[in-house]
Amino acid sequence: MREIQLKDAKATLSAVVDRAVQGTPSIITRHGRKDAVILSFEDYERLARAPSFGRLLAAFPGEPEDIPERGKGPPRPVDL
């Protein structure tokens, strides 16, 4: 994936889109900050169809006894 400034993307939009269709997305930056991504519609559709982690967990095909019980010991110490 390549980074391109917004002003350069505007000037060469057709080439940026052609690269995305060929499989090379571009990150559009503005004032040094990553603001957008140009990717092919095919890549967008594939990403949009990916299930969320919550849906994957909800679709777990096992039985409740397939999941091991949590430890009964005290929680480990955490430095904050």
Side-chain angles (χ1 to χ4, degrees):
M1 202 176 306
R2 66 178 234 161
E3 289 188 20
I4 186 170
Q5 292 180 7
L6 179 60
K7 64 181 175 93
D8 296 332
K10 284 180 184 180
T12 61
L13 182 60
S14 183
V16 172
V17 170
D18 287 343
R19 276 191 218 99
V21 170
Q22 294 170 359
T24 306
S26 295
I27 298 171
I28 308 298
T29 61
R30 185 171 26 190
H31 306 295
R33 223 179 67 230
K34 296 175 183 177
D35 277 345
V37 176
I38 303 287
L39 66 151
S40 70
F41 188 72
E42 182 181 310
D43 287 344
Y44 165 76
E45 283 187 316
R46 183 177 50 80
L47 291 170
R49 285 192 307 264
S52 69
F53 184 65
R55 288 182 192 247
L56 288 173
L57 287 177
F60 177 65
E63 299 295 324
E65 56 270 5
D66 292 338
I67 301 172
E69 287 198 27
R70 295 181 70 167
K72 303 267 191 248
R76 65 177 183 248
V78 178
D79 291 329
L80 297 177

